[in-house]
């Protein structure tokens, strides 16, 4: 075939950028080159943040390089080297034990390799025609999830999607179609409500917005001292809505919240649903979904002998683990739940989210063809054995997440995840104890059974009055809004001061700032420093270093304020 542009130029570009032979190493070579460029540019390779000298940008013309599409292509290595220097400064290193910034997962190298292989061949998990056998990986993960909750594999169907927001979207969508099967064509009626928890992630409101339910139709269930949803409050509010002609389409419950690792009483909410159905003779079954994108990992203790404790987990941590496992295992009674392998201890690159239906047949309620919503003939599904595109939110879906999840779970094994959880809980306990004894801060989530720690400035810093614990803190600020505002403001100023002091990412605090991790009974926000223990390398040395750094920063901050006041 005659080329319509310069043959030699075109051929050279194609050979370099689109190698036609299966197994060609060009991508791997460039990936290795990129890692080398990061390594050369960084001062400290195990640092919590990637720190690259910004002065190098002008010296080698990188800003000009990325200003527009060139007439002729640029060398791949020059583009990669420039991209590393221009864009990678300040990115977090989630594997570092000195980073506790958020709940993002350190990536398992096997998961990364499989994700990259899927991307190398641009595998689409749309149907068999696009995916080869890679849909089997998604089906295998479905089976593994079924095993973790003790349900027959053939009953469970899991779909990979982009994360927790997606699993909440799927849950709400199913809830809508259970109550109003024609909603796909006619739209949502104005009397549909969803019940969510006081500790719900903001993505619950995002889902209600995007689906047209409306955030005004989300009914918040109050929580107890453990941040678990109060069933009696849910019952009272649900009865009122039904008696006023409303429809309770479903409940989105806690399955391991970020700040408190709260897991709701699932059997209790199942019983509540039955009472509502019987009392009001409902002709639909409200959907029950667990937002367990973080808490699912405790399911890895299914089958563990807590009495013999073969991993020799400290008793204090083992008790917490057993409590969490017993609670999350009841997820088997719910209709659906979520998993994020790219969060916490899941070990996968983002995005790698999973929506799990405990009754896979219910997913047919989302079928585009069965509901007559649209015809997906362009995908060629007529010739495919398996065609999840008929029910999925996305049309284009990579096989990478399913393969990455398989890689993470198979290389870690049950005991690998169990040991990981135990290590993070031990580190969390040590960190909390040191904060309480050695700093001017208080632990703001002392009842949490997870590996996230919230810190607030002790009122002692402002009032000079000693505050012993979180309960005393709450009692003090509940009726003293000025004090709470001062503490919140002081904490934010301190955190901003730390960022400005260490603007080259070499010695930042490992934490992040949360404007509102909990509210008082009167609805006032309480701000906190957020420490998420996600690195598998977290140990006592790293904990001690962070506590020392926090103390030094706060002492220096206080001195700087005194100097400002003097001047």
């Amino acid at each position: 075939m005659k080329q319509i542009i310069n043959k030699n130029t075109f051929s050279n570009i194609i050979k370099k950028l689109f190698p036609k032979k299966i197994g060609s190493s060009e991508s791997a070579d460039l990936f290795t080159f990129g890692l080398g460029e990061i390594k050369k540019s960084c001062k400290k390779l195990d640092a919590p943040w990637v720190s690259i000298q910004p002065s190098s940008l002008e010296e080698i013309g990188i800003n000009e390089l990325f200003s527009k599409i060139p007439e002729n292509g640029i060398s791949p290595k020059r583009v990669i080297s420039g991209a590393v220097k221009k864009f990678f400064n300040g990115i977090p290193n989630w594997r570092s034990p000195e980073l506790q910034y958020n709940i993002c997962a350190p990536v398992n190298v096997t998961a990364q390799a499989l994700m990259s292989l899927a991307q190398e061949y641009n595998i689409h998990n749309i149907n068999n025609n696009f995916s080869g056998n890679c849909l089997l990986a998604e089906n295998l993960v479905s089976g593994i999830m079924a095993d973790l909750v003790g349900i027959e594999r053939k009953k469970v169907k899991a779909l990979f999607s982009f994360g927790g927001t997606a699993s909440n979207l799927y849950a709400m969508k199913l809830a809508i179609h259970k109550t109003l099967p024609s909603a796909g064509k006619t739209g949502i009626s104005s009397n549909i409500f969803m019940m969510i928890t006081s500790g719900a992630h903001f993505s619950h409101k995002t889902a209600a917005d995007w689906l047209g339910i409306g955030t005004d139709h989300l009914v918040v269930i109050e929580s107890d001292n453990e941040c678990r949803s109060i069933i009696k409050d849910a019952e009272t509010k649900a009865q009122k809505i039904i008696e006023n002609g409303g429809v309770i389409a479903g409940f989105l419950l806690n399955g391991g919240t970020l700040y408190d690792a709260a897991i709701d009483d699932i059997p209790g909410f199942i019983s509540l649903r039955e009472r509502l159905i019987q009392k009001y003779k409902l002709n639909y079954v409200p959907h029950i979904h667990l937002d367990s994108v973080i808490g699912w990992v405790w399911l890895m203790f299914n089958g563990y002998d807590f009495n013999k404790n073969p991993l020799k987990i400290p008793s204090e941590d083992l008790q917490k683990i057993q409590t969490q496992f017993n609670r999350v295992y009841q997820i088997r009674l719910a209709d659906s739940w979520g998993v994020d392998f790219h969060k916490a201890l899941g070990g996968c690159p983002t995005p790698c989210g999973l929506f799990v239906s405990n009754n896979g047949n219910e997913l047919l309620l989302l079928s585009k063809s069965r509901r007559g919503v649209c015809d997906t003939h362009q995908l060629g599904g007529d010739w495919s054995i398996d065609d999840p595109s008929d029910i999925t939110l996305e049309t284009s879906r990579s096989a990478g997440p399913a393969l990455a999840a398989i890689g993470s779970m198979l290389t870690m094994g049950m005991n690998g995840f169990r040991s990981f959880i135990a290590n993070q809980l031990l580190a969390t306990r040590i960190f909390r104890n040191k904060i309480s004894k050695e700093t001017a801060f208080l632990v703001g989530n002392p009842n949490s059974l997870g590996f996230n720690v919230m810190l607030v400035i002790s009122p002692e810093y402002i009032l000079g009055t000693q505050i012993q614990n979180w309960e005393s803190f709450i009692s003090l600020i509940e009726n003293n809004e000025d004090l709470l505002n001062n503490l919140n403001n002081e904490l934010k100023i301190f955190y901003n001061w730390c960022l400005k002091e260490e603007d080259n990412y070499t010695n930042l605090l490992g934490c992040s700032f949360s404007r509102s991790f909990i509210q008082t009974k009167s609805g006032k926000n309480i701000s906190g420093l957020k420490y998420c223990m996600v690195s598998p390398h977290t140990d006592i040395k790293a904990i001690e270093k962070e506590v020392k750094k926090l103390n030094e920063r706060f002492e220096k901050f206080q001195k700087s304020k005194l100097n400002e006041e003097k001047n």
Side-chain angles (χ1 to χ4, degrees):
M1 178 179 177
K2 186 178 180 181
Q3 299 288 352
I4 59 174
I5 61 173
N6 184 285
K7 184 174 182 180
N8 291 331
T9 302
F10 183 72
S11 296
N12 289 336
I13 293 173
I14 294 302
K15 286 178 181 178
K16 284 194 299 184
L17 302 183
F18 302 94
K20 65 182 178 181
K21 291 184 179 180
I22 293 174
S24 296
S25 62
E26 279 83 353
S27 291
D29 292 342
L30 288 174
F31 185 79
T32 301
F33 172 78
L35 291 174
E37 289 297 286
I38 296 173
K39 187 176 180 179
K40 283 194 303 183
S41 301
C42 288
K43 291 182 178 180
K44 185 182 176 186
L45 297 180
D46 61 350
W49 308 90
V50 174
S51 178
I52 295 173
Q53 296 300 319
S55 59
S56 62
L57 296 181
E58 294 296 339
E59 292 172 10
I60 57 177
I62 289 177
N63 286 330
E64 182 181 352
L65 173 67
F66 288 97
S67 64
K68 61 182 179 180
I69 300 176
E71 286 295 319
N72 295 306
I74 301 169
S75 161
K77 287 188 176 181
R78 175 146 169 70
V79 172
I80 290 172
S81 177
V84 166
K85 292 179 174 67
K86 184 171 178 64
F87 303 122
F88 278 54
N89 188 48
I91 64 171
N93 174 17
W94 300 108
R95 294 171 182 157
S96 171
E98 297 179 31
L99 186 73
Q100 304 88 21
Y101 190 75
N102 212 313
I103 204 67
C104 305
V107 175
N108 178 319
V109 293
T110 309
Q112 177 56 52
L114 286 169
M115 179 78 83
S116 298
L117 285 169
Q119 291 171 334
E120 169 74 8
Y121 294 102
N122 201 15
I123 307 171
H124 287 59
N125 261 15
I126 295 175
N127 57 45
N128 294 116
N129 298 339
F130 288 87
S131 67
N133 287 332
C134 286
L135 281 173
L136 292 177
E138 190 166 39
N139 293 335
L140 178 57
V141 175
S142 292
I144 291 173
M145 295 300 108
D147 293 344
L148 288 177
V149 296
I151 300 177
E152 287 184 72
R153 286 193 169 202
K154 63 182 181 181
K155 291 184 178 180
V156 175
K157 178 68 175 177
L159 297 170
F160 275 91
S161 195
F162 54 85
T165 300
S167 62
N168 293 328
L169 277 166
Y170 272 111
M172 285 192 185
K173 182 71 170 170
L174 275 175
I176 290 168
H177 286 290
K178 282 183 176 181
T179 58
L180 187 63
S182 64
K185 288 187 172 183
T186 63
I188 300 173
S189 61
S190 60
N191 66 338
I192 286 182
F193 292 82
M194 293 288 300
M195 303 202 77
I196 64 171
T197 69
S198 62
H201 190 266
F202 66 81
S203 61
H204 296 205
K205 290 185 177 180
T206 300
D209 172 22
W210 279 71
L211 290 171
I213 294 172
T215 57
D216 287 350
H217 282 224
L218 295 179
V219 182
V220 178
I221 308 168
E222 297 302 320
S223 59
D224 60 19
N225 292 334
E226 289 185 275
C227 295
R228 302 178 78 198
S229 301
I230 300 171
I231 296 175
K232 183 62 179 176
D233 182 65
E235 187 164 18
T236 300
K237 290 174 177 175
Q239 287 177 343
K240 183 177 180 180
I241 288 171
I242 295 171
E243 289 171 4
N244 288 332
V247 172
I248 300 294
F251 299 81
L252 267 66
L253 304 177
N254 297 323
T257 54
L258 170 59
Y259 296 126
D260 294 283
I263 300 172
D264 283 336
D265 179 0
I266 303 169
F269 274 94
I270 298 292
S271 297
L272 166 60
R273 178 173 68 179
E274 292 305 312
R275 289 197 298 275
L276 293 174
I277 292 172
Q278 292 178 14
K279 180 175 182 178
Y280 296 102
K281 295 181 172 53
L282 302 181
N283 60 358
Y284 63 93
V285 178
H287 189 86
I288 292 182
H289 175 77
L290 268 289
D291 188 355
S292 52
V293 293
I294 300 172
W296 75 274
V297 74
W298 272 273
L299 291 170
M300 290 295 179
F301 278 89
N302 189 359
Y304 187 74
D305 191 328
F306 286 97
N307 292 322
K308 293 183 178 179
N309 190 19
L311 295 179
K312 307 300 180 186
I313 299 170
S315 58
E316 188 173 344
D317 302 318
L318 185 69
Q319 185 178 0
K320 292 179 180 179
I321 291 170
Q322 189 167 14
T323 297
Q324 285 295 80
F325 169 71
N326 288 339
R327 288 175 177 177
V328 78
Y329 186 67
Q330 300 307 314
I331 213 168
R332 65 200 306 273
L333 303 175
D335 297 308
S336 62
W337 43 293
V339 174
D340 273 2
F341 291 102
H342 61 251
K343 281 193 176 76
L345 315 186
C348 291
T350 191
C352 196
L354 188 72
F355 174 74
V356 186
S357 173
N358 284 342
N359 181 3
N361 289 333
E362 286 189 346
L363 292 178
L364 293 175
L365 292 171
L366 304 181
S367 169
K368 302 174 183 69
S369 58
R370 290 189 178 217
R371 292 183 294 128
V373 171
C374 61
D375 184 358
T376 60
H377 65 277
Q378 291 99 333
L379 300 179
D382 295 337
W383 312 108
S384 188
I385 297 171
D386 195 358
D387 185 16
S389 65
D390 183 46
I391 57 176
T392 55
L393 173 63
E394 309 99 324
T395 299
S396 299
R397 295 193 310 144
S398 170
L403 294 169
I406 289 288
S408 175
M409 290 189 287
L410 295 188
T411 53
M412 284 287 284
M414 299 284 278
N415 279 336
F417 281 105
R418 291 164 179 167
S419 298
F420 199 173
I421 293 171
N423 183 73
Q424 305 318 98
L425 289 181
L426 174 61
T428 300
R429 177 159 53 89
I430 293 172
F431 183 65
R432 283 175 174 160
N433 289 339
K434 284 187 170 294
I435 289 297
S436 299
K437 294 177 182 178
E438 302 174 14
T439 74
F441 295 83
L442 290 175
V443 175
N445 59 340
N447 297 322
S448 171
L449 301 179
F451 37 83
N452 178 62
V453 182
M454 300 304 301
L455 302 184
V456 298
I457 295 178
S458 172
E460 182 179 355
Y461 167 70
I462 292 178
L463 300 178
T465 304
Q466 189 172 4
I467 300 298
Q468 299 291 339
N469 51 42
W470 176 246
E471 288 73 21
S472 299
F473 175 88
I474 289 295
S475 178
L476 184 63
I477 58 118
E478 189 67 58
N479 298 312
N480 193 335
E481 187 174 337
D482 289 339
L483 175 60
L484 176 58
N485 289 337
N486 285 338
L487 291 170
N488 285 343
N489 188 52
E490 193 73 2
L491 188 64
K492 186 175 182 179
I493 292 172
F494 167 62
Y495 187 75
N496 284 332
W497 177 88
C498 289
L499 293 178
K500 292 176 182 177
E501 280 287 298
E502 300 293 343
D503 59 358
N504 61 354
Y505 298 102
T506 56
N507 203 26
L508 286 173
L509 289 176
C511 61
S512 59
F513 176 82
S514 177
R515 187 176 68 254
S516 175
F517 74 94
I518 197 170
Q519 291 184 328
T520 64
K521 290 180 180 178
S522 58
K524 303 299 180 183
N525 293 333
I526 302 177
S527 302
L529 298 181
K530 178 170 61 180
Y531 281 90
C532 301
M533 307 294 175
V534 295
S535 170
H537 303 289
T538 303
D539 54 17
I540 294 177
K541 183 180 177 181
I543 294 300
E544 290 177 341
K545 184 174 182 178
E546 183 64 23
V547 172
K548 181 182 178 182
K549 190 190 301 182
L550 180 63
N551 276 331
E552 289 174 348
R553 294 291 182 280
F554 195 64
E555 183 178 344
K556 190 175 178 181
F557 168 69
Q558 289 176 294
K559 288 180 179 179
S560 69
K561 286 193 64 179
L562 288 174
N563 291 334
E564 287 179 8
E565 291 172 2
K566 289 178 181 178
N567 296 331

